[in-house]
Amino acid sequence: MRETGPKRLDTDAVHLPDSETGDERQHFIFYQDDGGLRATNEANAPMDTIYYLGIIDICTPYTTFKRAEHIWKGLHADRVRAHTTLSSSISDSASASFSTRSAPWSPASTRNASPLSSRQSCPMGKVVSASSPSERGLPVVNLLRVVHLVVFLANLGSVSPIEFTFKVADPRVSGSPG
Amino acid sequence: MSPNHYTYCISSSALIFPSLGNELTPSVKYDFKFKDYAPWVFRSLREQSFHLDPADYLLSLTEKYILSELGSPGKSGSFFYFSRDYRFIIKTIHHNEHKFIRKILKGYHEHVRKNPHTLLSRFYGLHRVKLPRGRKIHFVIMNNLFPPHKDIHETYDLKGSTVGRLYPEEEAARKQNKVTLKDLNWIDRGKRLELGPEKRAFLTEQIKRDAEFLKNVYVMDYSLLVGVHNMARGNRDNLRRNTLKVVSVVSYYPTFRPQNPVTEFSSHPARDFTWVVTVETDPVTGRNEASHA
């Protein structure tokens, strides 16, 4: 390609329009306000912010490699935040626990739930029950990690990430020491 | 739509420089091969589900072909390009992701039909380009979530996790918010999605359904991308132009220009049908990323 005599482009060649191009966004309720979703107050009256929201990176399946990465992060994450690693805190947690927890961006939780003032208060809905093992003492966490690792090794090659997560997550959520 | 529609693909090849071969370097059979996967499914997605005008779509992706590289926010190794009008994103994907999209395409199609207001990425096309003796490049064409005509003043990539989810604030200040912030930035800055009861209910319900779909197809590691436009600030900082990287790929297809008669093209194919690639170095990283492509 380089043999074809590349030309240097003036970056000013990029001209973006000042008004909306294309009208497809008008069909979708979350993209209707200037292509996005305009903030509203409690009386549903518009405010001075427009959000552009979307769920991205949806092409990564939960594979054995990802599962290993999950464990690895769980073993290395710092203790204060790590107490939720097995169930919900790590980004590549299994899809089951991911979709069932109440996400920090959920408007309900962002506005009505307790303010997320400190970092230790994890935004996930599970935080209260999930943090209890570390309050009771770290050995529980360590034990769970070992169990986690064993379950992981036993499950290598199988394709049931959801079942796998529940095995580990359930004792923590129910509050039993495992 | 029959099951075959989801596995069907169209392959075509193009010869750009027919005269390049000689005794020492035998001419290749093609200059690139192009594959269009599940064309009927994607057409249905574009036209019925996502309300795209077919002529519009084609024009946006072929008219001028000025594509700007986006600073890749993820560690996925994908390259992102915008269509010239900023409406579409072309994202190169790994072969595994490509296979995965084909696998879930049927479910995705159904989900989108049942949920016209879905927040999921909108897939408009899935393609592959193969260069002779070269590697295969898979890419997907998606919607650009951010609008062409509004500056985005803050960008957050939220996963609902706190592990490793902090973009250093000092660096964010240095780069004047031209960065993608993460969950802990969102929390530390006390950000909220300010939505009244009506929109809140709609959004919560839709996120729930979309997450349910992703759970069913074993997808994880997805994010909620949040772009914030402050209307009081408006477009005066012209962030859009400044955030566009200067690496550009340009192609000229004379046959698409009405002033260039097709007969002329066919009589002098080698002269007329040229492909110009322009590469500039990213001033920040100093890397010449487009040369890999």
Side-chain angles (χ1 to χ4, degrees), chain A residues 91-104:
Chain A
S91 71
D92 49 1
S93 62
S95 30
S97 60
F98 191 106
S99 70
T100 49
R101 72 184 177 229
S102 102

Side-chain angles (χ1 to χ4, degrees), chain A residues 35-57:
Chain A
L37 181 67
R38 188 157 174 188
T40 51
N41 63 18
E42 285 300 319
N44 296 322
M47 292 168 37
D48 263 0
T49 306
I50 303 176
Y51 299 112
Y52 295 89
L53 305 170
I55 297 175
I56 59 165
D57 291 340

Side-chain angles (χ1 to χ4, degrees), chain B residues 155-172:
Chain B
T155 308
Y156 293 90
D157 175 290
L158 304 179
K159 283 191 191 294
S161 160
T162 54
V163 175
R165 300 297 299 164
L166 179 68
Y167 190 94
E169 287 283 353
E170 316 83 63
E171 206 168 324

Side-chain angles (χ1 to χ4, degrees), chain B residues 18 255 260-273:
Chain B
T255 44
N260 199 8
V262 176
T263 49
E264 192 188 317
F265 158 63
S266 53
S267 59
H268 303 285
R271 202 185 315 152
D272 277 0
F273 201 15

Side-chain angles (χ1 to χ4, degrees), chain B residues 241-261:
Chain B
R241 161 119 27 121
N242 296 337
T243 44
L244 292 178
K245 291 275 177 75
V246 293
V247 180
S248 306
V249 177
V250 185
S251 300
Y252 293 108
Y253 286 95
T255 44
F256 286 114
R257 290 201 308 235
Q259 69 268 27
N260 199 8

Side-chain angles (χ1 to χ4, degrees), chain B residues 166-180:
Chain B
L166 179 68
Y167 190 94
E169 287 283 353
E170 316 83 63
E171 206 168 324
R174 193 164 54 78
K175 294 190 176 170
Q176 297 175 343
N177 292 335
K178 286 183 229 164
V179 293
T180 305

Side-chain angles (χ1 to χ4, degrees), chain B residues 25-38:
Chain B
T25 58
S27 174
V28 289
K29 296 260 185 347
Y30 57 88
D31 282 294
F32 65 84
K33 264 188 180 168
F34 182 82
K35 258 191 180 179
D36 191 2
Y37 291 92

